[in-house]
């Protein structure tokens, strides 16, 4: 369980997060959605202890962010890096192997190699393991970063806009894999998404943010309504119900 | 590839022992005179070329990784010039200082120079990859100008060449051993190769994996500074090795340092040793500074690399 209490955050003097109180239950897939600049990524990076907390508290399981050592938290919580920031020529297997670092601290053993093989298999990358990152497609690259986070073997997994620049096939693939991690492995997956329809299709819970506050939260069918789209996103789109879940007609 | 390279290095090392102003044949090794020539001059020179080449190539690769940019290397990006400034100031202020004091001054100056460079390029946008080498070149040029000014004021212009233009003709037994410190610093980077590679994911991602980013960066910058300073103190600046070699090995072996560093070290040693043999041979009995030869080879190689890179992209 991720518990956030009384969280405030300012960037360059401007408030980005205001009085956030939020509990993300253990297990399942939670999507953070909201318009640009709502503070989703800031919130995610605070949970991932990548920025210092200015005011408030965040705990991930029994660990209090800001107090727990980086290396201990790395065995509990994985953050999928932004693949666009990585220009290094790394082989896919090497990249996935980095996910094992918190466990072996530089000396990978047989168990680590087995985990890497499992991660490659699960994300259908076994045939590409010796390819360099700049030699595979955008979707394969993104899958490799997700496989790396999976290889980290943590209870919690955070992803910041993993579907950026992916085509529909790659995006659905990745979300299905994330769904699998929640359903089959019992992981708690928190993902920042831009496309509400992906969020309603794959998430158990939505957390909607607007101007640094939580605007709504709950199951997709309860949260996504015409009113929400108008009030939070400032657009008048109709929400239809298709196969039991809300679908925004864009 | 590594094995073939080592064989080539051994062959070049043998050649290096027998090429020079004083003719030497394998039979002369048995005589006292030939033997002392080899032990006092030719072997130290060969070692110096290998150690400097390997060290410069490794530090180039590490600097490129830290800057997250393939077009920088410490020797031209301020660390080399700072090291020269360190020795120069030390020589001016404490002329009687023993060599290890000068060495420490050079290393500290190189460290300061590298840290300032890192601070300068940090805010540059990654979308403009050419800004980093531009800033680095201007920065190196400014420090170089300060060095020239101080040397001019202190009437030390004639020494400046020995630090700014690397050459191996002065290498004798007893006068190159500082390079073993550079070798130790280079070898130490192998121990943190995995951690350094994690930094290619970006600072946030590296931290999320539990890496102590500050500590690893500090260790890497220190190794870079020590190697640069030792090479400048003993041989003088040798540019381009740290730029060309890592670019070449990244193409072949990728950026995983555990895999790439041995290859980088080998290729750097090969480049400088070959360039030095060439420098001795091209206008024998006179010599060309090895820095000049390396710069000529390096510039052509680099142009070819950029062209190939553009064709791929």
């Amino acid at each position: 369980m991720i518990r956030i209490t009384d969280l405030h955050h300012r960037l360059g003097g401007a408030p980005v997060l205001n009085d956030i109180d939020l509990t993300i239950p253990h297990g399942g897939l939670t999507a953070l959605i909201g318009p640009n600049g709502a503070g989703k990524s800031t919130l995610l990076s605070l949970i991932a202890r990548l920025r210092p907390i200015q005011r408030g508290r965040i705990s991930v399981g029994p660990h209090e962010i800001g107090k727990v050592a980086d290396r201990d938290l790395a065995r509990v919580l994985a953050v999928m890096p932004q693949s666009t920031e990585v220009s290094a020529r790394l082989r896919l297997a090497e990249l996935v192997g980095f996910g094992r670092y918190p466990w072996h601290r530089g000396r990978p053993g047989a168990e680590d190699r087995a985990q890497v093989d499992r991660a490659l298999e699960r994300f259908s990358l076994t045939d590409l393991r010796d390819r360099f990152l700049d030699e595979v497609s955008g979707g394969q690259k993104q899958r490799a970063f997700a496989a790396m986070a999976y290889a980290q073997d943590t209870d919690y997994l955070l992803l910041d806009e993993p579907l950026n620049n992916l085509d529909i096939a790659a995006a659905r693939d990745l979300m299905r894999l994330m769904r699998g991690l929640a359903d089959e492995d019992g992981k708690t997956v928190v993902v920042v998404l831009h496309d509400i329809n992906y969020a309603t299709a794959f998430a158990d819970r939505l957390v909607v943010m607007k101007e640094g506050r939580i605007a709504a939260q709950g199951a997709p069918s309860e949260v996504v309504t015409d009113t929400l789209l108008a009030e939070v996103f400032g657009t008048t789109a109709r929400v239809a119900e298709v196969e039991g879940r809300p679908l925004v007609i864009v | 590839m590594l094995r073939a390279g080592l064989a080539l290095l051994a062959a070049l090392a043998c050649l290096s022992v027998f090429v020079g102003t004083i003719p030497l044949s394998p039979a002369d090794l048995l005589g006292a005179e030939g033997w002392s020539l080899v032990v006092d001059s030719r072997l130290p020179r060969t070692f110096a070329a290998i150690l400097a080449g390997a060290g410069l190539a490794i530090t180039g690769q590490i600097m490129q990784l830290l800057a997250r940019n393939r077009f920088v290397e410490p020797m031209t990006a301020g660390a080399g010039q700072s090291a020269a400034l360190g020795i120069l100031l030390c020589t001016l202020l404490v002329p009687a200082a023993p060599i290890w004091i000068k060495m420490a001054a050079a290393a500290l100056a190189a460290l300061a120079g590298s840290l300032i460079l890192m601070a300068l390029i940090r805010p540059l946008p990654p979308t403009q990859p050419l800004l980093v080498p531009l800033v680095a070149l201007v920065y190196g040029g400014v420090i170089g100008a300060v060095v020239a000014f101080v040397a001019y004021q202190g009437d030390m212009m004639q020494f400046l060449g020995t630090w700014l233009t690397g050459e191996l003709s002065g290498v004798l037994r007893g006068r190159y051993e500082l390079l073993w410190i550079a070798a130790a610093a280079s070898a130490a980077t192998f121990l943190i190769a995995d951690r350094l590679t994690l930094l290619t994911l970006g600072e946030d991602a590296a931290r999320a994996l539990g890496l102590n980013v500050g500590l690893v960066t500090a260790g890497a910058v220190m190794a870079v500074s020590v190697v640069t300073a030792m090479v400048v103190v003993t041989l003088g600046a040798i540019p381009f090795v740290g730029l060309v070699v890592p670019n070449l090995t990244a193409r072949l072996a990728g950026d995983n340092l555990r895999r790439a560093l041995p290859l980088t070290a080998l290729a750097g040693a090969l480049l400088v040793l070959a360039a030095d043999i060439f420098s001795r041979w091209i206008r024998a009995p006179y010599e060309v500074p090895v820095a000049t030869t390396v710069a000529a080879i390096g510039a052509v190689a680099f142009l070819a690399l950029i062209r190939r890179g553009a064709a791929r992209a």
Side-chain angles (χ1 to χ4, degrees), chain B residues 107-168:
Chain B
L108 284 176
L111 185 62
S114 311
L115 289 176
I116 294 173
L117 176 74
M118 302 297 290
L120 278 177
I121 58 177
R122 213 184 148 80
L124 296 178
T127 45
Q128 301 279 333
L130 288 180
L131 275 182
V132 172
L134 267 176
V135 169
L137 272 181
V138 171
Y139 173 70
V142 169
I143 300 179
V146 172
V147 172
F149 178 76
V150 173
Y152 183 76
Q153 293 291 316
D155 206 12
M156 305 253 320
M157 286 302 273
Q158 72 274 26
F159 291 104
L160 213 53
T162 62
W163 299 319
L164 293 187
T165 312
E167 61 159 342
L168 292 155

Side-chain angles (χ1 to χ4, degrees), chain B residues 17-96:
Chain B
V17 167
F18 292 105
V19 173
T21 316
I22 304 173
L24 188 75
S25 70
D28 293 334
L29 289 180
L30 300 171
E33 212 170 299
W35 182 245
S36 93
L37 176 69
V38 167
V39 171
D40 292 337
S41 164
R42 298 282 169 78
L43 270 183
R45 184 172 187 156
T46 305
F47 279 133
I50 292 174
L51 297 181
L56 290 174
I58 287 178
T59 52
Q61 186 146 35
I62 290 173
M63 180 96 158
Q64 286 169 19
L65 188 148
L66 293 178
R68 302 183 76 197
N69 189 295
R70 289 201 192 284
F71 301 105
V72 286
E73 59 131 351
M75 203 51 94
T76 48
Q81 292 89 339
S82 301
L85 186 63
I87 324 167
L88 181 63
L89 289 176
C90 190
T91 314
L92 274 176
L93 302 175
V94 201

Side-chain angles (χ1 to χ4, degrees), chain A residues 49-50 70-71 74 79 81 85-91 94-95 98-99 101-102 105-106 132 134 145 148 152, chain B residues 68 70 194-195 197-198 200-202 204-205 207-211 250-256 258-259 312:
Chain A
R49 52 83 168 84
L50 298 176
D70 278 354
R71 49 185 298 180
V79 186
E85 280 186 17
V86 180
S87 59
R89 266 170 74 76
L90 298 167
R91 290 179 178 81
E94 291 169 348
L95 180 81
F98 288 167
Y101 180 77
R105 311 285 304 169
F132 284 110
D134 53 5
F145 279 87
M148 173 189 151
Q152 204 172 329
Chain B
R68 302 183 76 197
R70 289 201 192 284
D194 281 344
R195 281 151 218 239
T197 312
L198 287 184
T200 61
L201 299 180
D204 279 357
R207 255 197 85 196
L209 287 170
L211 187 75
R251 291 224 165 276
L252 297 173
D255 285 319
N256 184 1
R258 181 184 278 254
R259 216 187 262 238
R312 281 169 55 100

